[in-house]
Coordinates of all heavy atoms in Angstrom, one line a residue:
F1 N 87.7 115.5 126.6 CA 88.8 116.0 125.8 C 88.3 116.7 124.6 O 88.8 117.8 124.2 CB 89.7 114.8 125.3 CG 90.7 115.2 124.3 CD1 91.9 115.7 124.7 CD2 90.5 114.9 122.9 CE1 92.9 116.1 123.8 CE2 91.5 115.3 122.0 CZ 92.7 115.9 122.4
W2 N 87.2 116.2 124.0 CA 86.7 116.9 122.8 C 85.9 118.1 123.2 O 85.9 119.1 122.4 CB 85.8 115.9 122.0 CG 86.6 114.8 121.5 CD1 86.6 113.5 121.8 CD2 87.7 114.9 120.5 NE1 87.5 112.7 121.1 CE2 88.2 113.6 120.3 CE3 88.2 115.9 119.8 CZ2 89.3 113.3 119.4 CZ3 89.3 115.7 118.9 CH2 89.8 114.4 118.7
T3 N 85.3 118.2 124.3 CA 84.7 119.4 124.8 C 85.8 120.5 124.8 O 85.5 121.6 124.4 CB 84.1 119.2 126.2 OG1 83.1 118.2 126.1 CG2 83.5 120.5 126.7
A4 N 86.9 120.2 125.4 CA 88.0 121.2 125.5 C 88.6 121.5 124.1 O 88.8 122.7 123.8 CB 89.1 120.7 126.4
A5 N 88.8 120.5 123.3 CA 89.5 120.7 122.0 C 88.6 121.5 121.1 O 89.0 122.5 120.4 CB 89.8 119.4 121.4
N6 N 87.3 121.2 121.1 CA 86.4 121.9 120.2 C 86.1 123.4 120.6 O 85.7 124.2 119.8 CB 85.0 121.2 120.1 CG 85.2 119.8 119.5 OD1 86.0 119.6 118.7 ND2 84.2 119.0 119.8
A7 N 86.4 123.7 121.9 CA 86.3 125.0 122.4 C 87.6 125.8 122.3 O 87.7 127.0 122.7 CB 85.9 125.0 123.9
G8 N 88.6 125.2 121.6 CA 89.9 125.9 121.5 C 90.7 125.8 122.7 O 91.7 126.6 122.8
N9 N 90.5 124.9 123.6 CA 91.3 124.8 124.9 C 92.0 123.5 124.9 O 92.0 122.8 126.0 CB 90.4 125.0 126.1 CG 89.7 126.3 126.1 OD1 90.4 127.3 125.8 ND2 88.4 126.4 126.5
L10 N 92.6 123.0 123.8 CA 93.4 121.8 123.9 C 94.5 121.9 124.9 O 95.3 122.8 124.8 CB 94.0 121.5 122.5 CG 94.6 120.2 122.2 CD1 93.6 119.1 122.2 CD2 95.4 120.2 120.9
P11 N 94.6 121.0 125.9 CA 95.6 121.0 126.9 C 97.0 120.9 126.3 O 97.2 120.4 125.1 CB 95.3 119.9 127.8 CG 93.8 119.6 127.6 CD 93.6 119.9 126.2
A12 N 98.0 121.4 127.0 CA 99.4 121.2 126.5 C 99.7 119.7 126.4 O 100.3 119.3 125.4 CB 100.3 121.9 127.5
V13 N 99.4 118.9 127.4 CA 99.7 117.5 127.3 C 98.4 116.7 127.6 O 97.7 117.0 128.6 CB 100.7 117.1 128.4 CG1 101.0 115.6 128.4 CG2 102.0 117.9 128.1
S14 N 98.1 115.8 126.7 CA 96.8 115.0 126.9 C 97.2 113.5 126.7 O 97.9 113.1 125.7 CB 95.8 115.4 125.9 OG 95.4 116.7 126.0
F15 N 96.7 112.7 127.6 CA 96.8 111.2 127.5 C 95.4 110.7 127.2 O 94.5 110.9 128.0 CB 97.3 110.6 128.7 CG 98.7 111.0 129.2 CD1 98.8 112.1 130.1 CD2 99.8 110.4 128.7 CE1 100.1 112.5 130.5 CE2 101.1 110.9 129.1 CZ 101.2 111.9 130.0
L16 N 95.2 110.0 126.0 CA 93.9 109.5 125.6 C 93.9 108.0 125.8 O 94.8 107.3 125.2 CB 93.6 109.9 124.2 CG 92.8 111.3 124.1 CD1 93.6 112.4 124.7 CD2 92.5 111.5 122.6
K17 N 92.9 107.5 126.5 CA 92.7 106.0 126.6 C 91.4 105.7 126.1 O 90.3 106.1 126.6 CB 92.8 105.7 128.1 CG 93.0 104.2 128.3 CD 94.3 103.6 127.9 CE 94.5 102.2 128.1 NZ 95.8 101.7 127.6
A18 N 91.3 104.8 125.1 CA 90.1 104.4 124.5 C 89.2 103.6 125.5 O 89.7 103.0 126.4 CB 90.4 103.5 123.3
A19 N 87.9 103.6 125.3 CA 87.1 102.7 126.0 C 87.5 101.3 125.6 O 88.1 101.0 124.6 CB 85.6 102.8 125.5
A20 N 87.4 100.3 126.6 CA 88.1 99.1 126.5 C 87.9 98.3 125.2 O 88.8 97.7 124.6 CB 87.6 98.1 127.7
Y21 N 86.7 98.4 124.6 CA 86.4 97.6 123.4 C 87.2 98.2 122.2 O 87.4 97.5 121.2 CB 84.9 97.7 123.0 CG 84.4 98.9 122.4 CD1 84.0 98.9 121.0 CD2 84.3 100.1 123.1 CE1 83.5 100.0 120.4 CE2 83.8 101.2 122.5 CZ 83.4 101.2 121.1 OH 82.9 102.3 120.5
Q22 N 87.8 99.3 122.3 CA 88.6 99.9 121.3 C 90.1 100.1 121.6 O 90.8 100.7 120.9 CB 88.1 101.3 120.9 CG 86.7 101.2 120.2 CD 86.2 102.6 119.7 OE1 86.5 103.6 120.3 NE2 85.6 102.6 118.5
D23 N 90.5 99.5 122.7 CA 91.9 99.7 123.1 C 92.9 98.7 122.5 O 94.1 98.8 122.8 CB 92.0 99.8 124.6 CG 91.8 98.5 125.4 OD1 91.8 97.4 124.7 OD2 91.6 98.5 126.6
G24 N 92.4 97.7 121.8 CA 93.3 96.8 121.1 C 93.7 95.5 121.9 O 94.4 94.7 121.4
H25 N 93.3 95.4 123.1 CA 93.6 94.3 124.0 C 92.9 93.0 123.6 O 91.7 93.0 123.5 CB 93.2 94.6 125.4 CG 93.8 93.8 126.5 ND1 93.6 92.4 126.5 CD2 94.5 94.1 127.6 CE1 94.2 91.9 127.6 NE2 94.7 92.9 128.3
A26 N 93.7 92.0 123.2 CA 93.2 90.8 122.8 C 92.3 90.2 123.9 O 92.5 90.4 125.1 CB 94.3 89.8 122.4
G27 N 91.3 89.5 123.5 CA 90.3 88.9 124.4 C 89.0 89.7 124.5 O 87.9 89.1 124.5
Y28 N 89.1 91.0 124.5 CA 87.9 91.8 124.5 C 87.9 92.9 123.5 O 86.9 93.5 123.2 CB 87.6 92.4 125.9 CG 88.7 93.3 126.5 CD1 88.8 94.6 126.0 CD2 89.6 92.9 127.4 CE1 89.8 95.5 126.5 CE2 90.6 93.7 127.9 CZ 90.7 95.0 127.4 OH 91.6 95.9 127.8
S29 N 89.0 93.2 122.9 CA 89.2 94.2 121.9 C 89.9 93.5 120.7 O 90.2 92.3 120.7 CB 89.8 95.4 122.3 OG 89.9 96.4 121.3
D30 N 90.2 94.3 119.7 CA 90.8 93.7 118.5 C 91.4 94.9 117.6 O 91.1 96.0 117.8 CB 89.7 93.0 117.7 CG 88.5 93.9 117.4 OD1 87.7 94.1 118.2 OD2 88.6 94.5 116.3
P31 N 92.2 94.5 116.6 CA 92.8 95.6 115.8 C 91.8 96.4 114.9 O 92.1 97.6 114.6 CB 93.8 94.8 114.9 CG 93.4 93.4 114.9 CD 92.8 93.2 116.3
L32 N 90.6 95.9 114.6 CA 89.6 96.6 113.8 C 88.9 97.6 114.6 O 88.7 98.8 114.2 CB 88.7 95.7 113.1 CG 89.4 94.7 112.1 CD1 88.3 93.8 111.4 CD2 90.2 95.5 111.1
D33 N 88.4 97.2 115.8 CA 87.8 98.2 116.7 C 88.9 99.3 117.1 O 88.5 100.5 117.2 CB 87.3 97.5 118.0 CG 85.9 96.9 117.7 OD1 85.1 97.6 117.2 OD2 85.7 95.7 118.1
E34 N 90.1 98.8 117.4 CA 91.2 99.8 117.7 C 91.4 100.8 116.6 O 91.5 102.0 116.8 CB 92.5 99.0 118.0 CG 93.6 99.9 118.3 CD 95.0 99.2 118.4 OE1 95.1 98.1 117.9 OE2 95.9 99.8 118.9
Q35 N 91.4 100.3 115.3 CA 91.6 101.2 114.2 C 90.5 102.2 114.1 O 90.8 103.4 113.8 CB 91.6 100.3 112.9 CG 91.8 101.2 111.6 CD 92.0 100.3 110.4 OE1 93.2 100.0 110.1 NE2 91.0 99.8 109.8
Q36 N 89.3 101.9 114.4 CA 88.2 102.8 114.4 C 88.5 104.0 115.3 O 88.3 105.2 115.0 CB 86.9 102.2 114.8 CG 85.6 103.0 114.7 CD 85.1 103.1 113.3 OE1 85.1 102.1 112.6 NE2 84.6 104.3 112.9
F37 N 89.0 103.7 116.6 CA 89.3 104.7 117.6 C 90.5 105.6 117.1 O 90.4 106.8 117.2 CB 89.6 104.0 118.9 CG 90.2 105.0 119.9 CD1 89.4 106.0 120.5 CD2 91.6 105.0 120.2 CE1 90.0 106.9 121.4 CE2 92.2 105.8 121.0 CZ 91.4 106.8 121.7
L38 N 91.5 104.9 116.7 CA 92.7 105.7 116.3 C 92.4 106.6 115.1 O 92.8 107.8 115.2 CB 93.8 104.7 115.9 CG 94.4 103.9 117.1 CD1 95.5 102.8 116.5 CD2 95.1 104.7 118.1
V39 N 91.8 106.1 114.1 CA 91.6 106.9 112.9 C 90.6 108.1 113.2 O 90.8 109.2 112.8 CB 91.1 106.1 111.8 CG1 90.7 106.9 110.6 CG2 92.2 105.1 111.4
D40 N 89.5 107.8 113.9 CA 88.6 108.8 114.3 C 89.2 109.9 115.1 O 89.0 111.1 114.8 CB 87.4 108.2 115.1 CG 86.3 107.5 114.3 OD1 86.3 107.7 113.0 OD2 85.6 106.7 114.9
T41 N 90.0 109.5 116.0 CA 90.7 110.5 116.9 C 91.7 111.3 116.1 O 91.7 112.6 116.2 CB 91.5 109.8 118.0 OG1 90.5 109.0 118.8 CG2 92.2 110.8 118.9
I42 N 92.5 110.7 115.3 CA 93.6 111.4 114.5 C 93.0 112.3 113.4 O 93.5 113.4 113.2 CB 94.6 110.4 114.0 CG1 95.3 109.7 115.2 CG2 95.6 111.1 113.1 CD1 96.2 108.5 114.8
N43 N 91.9 111.8 112.8 CA 91.3 112.6 111.8 C 90.8 113.9 112.4 O 90.9 115.0 111.8 CB 90.1 111.9 111.2 CG 90.5 110.8 110.1 OD1 91.7 110.8 109.7 ND2 89.6 110.1 109.7
R44 N 90.2 113.8 113.6 CA 89.6 115.0 114.3 C 90.7 115.9 114.7 O 90.6 117.2 114.6 CB 88.7 114.6 115.5 CG 87.5 113.8 115.1 CD 86.7 113.4 116.3 NE 86.0 114.6 117.0 CZ 85.2 114.5 118.0 NH1 84.9 113.2 118.5 NH2 84.7 115.5 118.6
L45 N 91.8 115.4 115.2 CA 92.9 116.3 115.7 C 93.5 117.0 114.5 O 93.9 118.2 114.7 CB 94.0 115.4 116.4 CG 93.6 114.9 117.8 CD1 94.6 113.8 118.3 CD2 93.6 116.1 118.7
Q46 N 93.6 116.4 113.3 CA 94.2 117.0 112.2 C 93.3 118.2 111.7 O 93.8 119.1 110.9 CB 94.4 116.0 111.1 CG 95.5 115.0 111.4 CD 95.7 114.0 110.3 OE1 96.6 114.1 109.5 NE2 94.8 113.0 110.2
K47 N 92.0 118.2 112.0 CA 91.1 119.3 111.6 C 91.0 120.5 112.5 O 90.4 121.4 112.2 CB 89.8 118.7 111.3 CG 89.7 117.6 110.2 CD 88.4 116.9 110.0 CE 88.5 115.9 109.0 NZ 87.2 115.1 108.8
L48 N 91.7 120.4 113.7 CA 91.7 121.4 114.6 C 92.7 122.6 114.2 O 93.8 122.2 113.6 CB 92.1 121.0 116.0 CG 91.1 120.0 116.7 CD1 91.7 119.5 118.0 CD2 89.8 120.6 116.9

């Protein structure tokens, strides 16, 4: 996704799924790891 986005080829529709440890699922993930993924992703998208 970032290869395409950084090259100026952001797709019209993109579904992003975090690696499991950052997806927020209790038992193997958590809200703090999830927050890291969400904020990193959204910060980068806002700079495109």
Side-chain angles (χ1 to χ4, degrees):
F1 175 78
W2 294 113
T3 298
N6 293 336
N9 296 321
L10 189 70
V13 177
S14 302
F15 300 92
L16 271 57
K17 192 72 180 180
Y21 80 110
Q22 291 185 323
D23 68 16
H25 193 305
Y28 61 77
S29 185
D30 58 273
L32 298 183
D33 278 313
E34 178 188 18
Q35 178 170 268
Q36 185 83 37
F37 167 76
L38 291 175
V39 173
D40 282 342
T41 301
I42 295 168
N43 283 351
R44 292 179 70 176
L45 286 169
Q46 290 177 102
K47 295 174 183 177
L48 295 175

